[in-house]
Amino acid sequence: MGAQLDSVHRSIINAAARMGLDPVFVERMTDAKERIRLRFSPKLSDGMAHNIIGYIVLHSMTLGPAKGGIRMAGDVNEDQIAALATEMTLKTSLIGVPFGGGKSGIAMNPHLLQKDDKEAVIREFTRAACRHIGPEIYIPAPDMGTSEIEMGHIKDCISHGDGFATTRGCYVTGKPVVLGGIPGRREATGYGVMLVIRAAAEPIGLNLGKSRMVIQGFGNVGSVVAQCALEQGVTITAISDASGAAWNPDGLDIPALSRHAKQAGTVAGFEGGKPIDPDSIYGIECDIFVPAATGGVINSGRAAVVKAKIVAEAANGPTLSDADDLFQARGIVVLPDILCNAGGVFVSYLEYTQETQRGQWTLDEVNHRLETRMTAKFGEVMRHSVNQGLPLRAAAVEMALAHLYEGYVSRGLLA
Ligand code: GLU
């Protein structure tokens, strides 16, 4: 079993044991409802058809249709997608939207593809997967390696396949606003991360205006966290991505770094900071460390060198179980992914309701709902953690499981 799947299972099993939950329920939570493997063969610009493997994991559909993004990366595998689908079940339950958890993945590094080839891959994946996608089954969204561009292609592929101008209901979220997407969805995950950091700073006694942040990953999530943190007066001293890292103890010029990254496709080579090895990012002294890249990156060796007060999990599953234990032992507060990065799926839910009701939301309305929900959920998780004497992750998992358990019982699926 992959380390990320093992870590999420461990936190479910431990929480369920503390709560004394029915073993049949625990088995359901640690074994996805459906795992689908697809082989599809798009014809690419080299004139050849290429065999590509994709996965869809529908982990739980008890609280509603499975919800979760489409990941496109070279290291995608079935257990990784199962781990991410399991986390989505916990995340949707915790944040309180009527969705289950799912995830899909395409085992292909998108950076190795021409722009038109990426579109061909997504369209072929959609054709292969479309019987598993729908407003009552599984609703994809962007994840690592995919963006609103691909969501637009999915909507086009499904609606045209049906011979209609639009889809009958919401088949995909995170679409371009012009195609029925919702304002603020693209920024929602990163903005939500900053809202949770802000809510956590007060009880921890951290003055954001005097704090330093280090961010691992400068994609859609990391770059928005940087922007929002800057607006809160945080000094961002280092940012890394897969190809490099920039460090400036006086604070990086984020707008200049963003311009550089847009042009160069990486933070490497940015002149406003000292180039450092991306692996050394973990040991840089700061107040808030934000893993915003991919899962399974923080093992116990890396956790041992982190010198932060808060670890804010903007990525899904960045911290392995042993590392999590070590953070706890070292008194480092971990803001768990299922809470910290739930802003994305929360705004996906707003998009789903907007499309279902054929309404129109403004950016202010979206951000207000997001701020209210993220702040309130942090407060609830914090209270549960204090009352039960648990770290925030354990408290968040318990709350998510309790809500799911109630769903299973209400459907008559458990005694
Ligand atoms: N991929 C995002 C996540 O992991 C968003 C999922 C969604 O909006 O459905 O939370």
Side-chain angles (χ1 to χ4, degrees):
M1 191 194 299
Q4 211 180 326
L5 187 58
D6 184 54
S7 288
V8 63
H9 283 179
R10 269 220 255 169
S11 51
I12 291 173
I13 290 166
N14 291 341
R18 284 192 306 271
M19 298 163 79
L21 298 179
D22 186 339
V24 176
F25 170 74
V26 182
E27 223 174 288
R28 285 184 180 168
M29 285 296 104
T30 52
D31 188 15
K33 187 176 171 64
E34 252 182 286
R35 288 174 174 233
I36 299 143
R37 178 186 178 278
L38 303 165
R39 196 232 350 104
F40 56 102
S41 311
K43 208 163 159 190
L44 302 185
S45 52
D46 60 4
M48 312 272 284
H50 293 253
N51 292 325
I52 300 176
I53 302 301
Y55 304 96
I56 301 176
V57 177
L58 308 177
H59 176 262
S60 169
M61 298 167 88
T62 296
L63 299 180
K67 189 79 189 83
I70 304 183
R71 179 163 293 201
M72 195 167 175
D75 68 352
V76 158
N77 63 66
E78 191 178 323
D79 269 359
Q80 179 202 53
I81 299 304
L84 293 164
T86 311
E87 289 196 354
M88 286 308 304
T89 297
L90 297 173
K91 197 186 296 186
T92 53
S93 172
L94 178 71
I95 210 67
V97 291
F99 288 140
K103 199 90 179 187
S104 47
I106 299 172
M108 156 73 67
N109 180 347
H111 304 296
L112 302 179
L113 288 171
Q114 306 291 332
K115 180 176 161 281
D116 291 348
D117 283 348
K118 189 171 179 187
E119 178 174 339
V121 170
I122 283 289
R123 285 185 185 274
E124 199 60 31
F125 170 79
T126 308
R127 286 184 203 108
C130 67
R131 68 185 183 281
H132 306 290
I133 297 176
E136 286 92 23
I137 313 168
Y138 165 58
I139 307 135
D143 196 78
M144 248 180 78
T146 60
S147 70
E148 62 180 22
I149 297 171
E150 285 71 41
M151 303 308 118
H153 295 155
I154 292 173
K155 175 156 182 174
D156 178 66
C157 198
I158 294 176
S159 54
H160 274 222
D162 287 346
F164 297 127
T166 189
T167 50
R168 280 171 292 188
C170 181
Y171 278 65
V172 58
T173 62
K175 301 178 289 293
V177 173
V178 71
L179 293 183
I182 197 160
R185 172 61 187 86
R186 195 192 317 143
E187 297 80 14
T189 308
Y191 181 39
V193 169
M194 199 54 219
L195 290 169
V196 175
I197 293 174
R198 198 179 72 186
E202 207 194 298
I204 290 167
L206 193 68
N207 179 344
L208 284 184
K210 289 191 179 138
S211 59
R212 292 152 307 156
M213 178 183 276
V214 168
I215 306 176
Q216 185 225 6
F218 202 56
N220 177 42
V221 181
S223 59
V224 175
V225 174
Q227 185 55 45
C228 297
L230 199 66
E231 284 161 18
Q232 298 285 320
V234 176
T235 305
I236 298 142
T237 56
I239 295 186
S240 71
D241 64 20
S243 321
W247 177 49
N248 185 342
D250 296 327
L252 292 165
D253 178 345
I254 299 301
L257 179 57
S258 299
R259 281 193 299 276
H260 168 85
K262 209 167 181 183
Q263 265 189 350
T266 167
V267 301
F270 178 58
E271 286 180 352
K274 192 172 164 229
I276 53 166
D277 177 356
D279 265 0
S280 63
I281 196 107
Y282 301 97
I284 296 176
E285 202 168 335
C286 61
D287 299 291
I288 307 157
F289 178 67
V290 184
T294 187
V297 290
I298 310 182
N299 53 26
S300 49
R302 285 175 170 170
V305 300
V306 168
K307 296 184 197 75
K309 296 185 182 75
I310 295 178
V311 172
E313 292 185 332
N316 288 314
T319 313
L320 295 173
S321 290
D322 293 352
D324 206 27
D325 294 343
L326 195 58
F327 281 145
Q328 203 194 324
R330 296 185 53 215
I332 296 174
V333 175
V334 178
L335 304 178
D337 50 1
I338 59 167
L339 170 68
C340 195
N341 72 29
V345 76
F346 180 69
V347 175
S348 276
Y349 170 64
L350 301 183
E351 181 174 336
Y352 182 85
T353 60
Q354 173 183 263
E355 198 159 6
T356 307
Q357 297 163 5
R358 298 176 190 253
Q360 276 184 331
W361 287 61
T362 65
L363 180 61
D364 278 352
E365 286 165 340
V366 169
N367 283 344
H368 177 70
R369 284 283 299 269
L370 178 63
E371 183 174 346
T372 311
R373 181 65 60 101
M374 297 307 285
T375 315
K377 278 293 160 190
F378 173 78
E380 285 175 39
V381 174
M382 184 76 192
R383 271 192 296 284
H384 189 61
S385 135
V386 171
N387 290 344
Q388 301 296 315
L390 291 169
L392 291 170
R393 186 188 319 278
V397 172
E398 280 197 5
M399 286 173 58
L401 289 182
H403 189 56
L404 277 155
Y405 195 84
E406 196 187 327
Y408 277 81
V409 171
S410 305
R411 277 185 186 257
L413 301 176
L414 288 169

